[in-house]
Amino acid sequence: MTQEQLRMQMLAGIITESQYKATLNESKFEIIGSDADELLDVISLINGKNIAKLKPLDTTGHQIADDKFSIEVELDNSEYIQKINSFLEERGFQSKLYKTN
């Protein structure tokens, strides 16, 4: 379910605001890789191939270690994590998609 669909459910009184916020927090994911440019390439590739819809929550990512970068994304369906990671690995990308808590 997309963020917009959740918002509409909250506005219609189907779910509470706290349920809406909790669900949004469940949909936070992070792509981690060795290069910030590769992270952005991964997002473009996944969206372009219509595998899933990744929405970056920032446009530059951030360095989390000497050789690791991260960018937080929203993912339209968490069932796609394994499919996305397999797709990336098959194409030689070092980046991986992870669910954040």
Side-chain angles (χ1 to χ4, degrees), residues 1-100:
M1 183 173 300
T2 67
Q3 182 176 351
E4 185 61 25
Q5 290 169 324
L6 285 170
R7 183 177 172 278
M8 292 300 193
Q9 284 188 348
M10 180 188 68
L11 293 174
I14 297 170
I15 62 173
T16 65
E17 184 175 357
S18 61
Q19 289 171 316
Y20 170 75
K21 289 180 180 178
T23 303
L24 284 182
N25 287 337
E26 291 173 3
S27 66
K28 298 285 181 7
F29 298 86
E30 190 173 28
I31 300 173
I32 297 176
S34 59
D35 183 289
D37 289 331
E38 182 178 294
L39 300 179
L40 297 174
D41 291 344
V42 162
I43 292 169
S44 294
L45 180 64
I46 296 300
N47 288 338
K49 294 287 186 179
N50 291 322
I51 295 171
K53 181 66 178 159
L54 293 175
K55 178 183 174 187
L57 299 178
D58 63 61
T59 56
T60 59
H62 56 277
Q63 192 166 5
I64 57 175
D66 287 341
D67 61 345
K68 295 286 183 197
F69 290 83
S70 168
I71 189 166
E72 193 173 17
V73 296
E74 286 181 4
L75 175 62
D76 60 350
N77 188 335
S78 63
E79 295 175 12
Y80 294 128
I81 294 174
Q82 185 175 6
K83 182 177 181 179
I84 289 170
N85 285 335
S86 294
F87 177 83
L88 294 173
E89 185 177 341
E90 290 168 3
R91 283 154 183 79
F93 285 94
Q94 299 299 313
S95 299
K96 298 283 183 204
L97 178 67
Y98 298 93
K99 183 168 181 9
T100 60

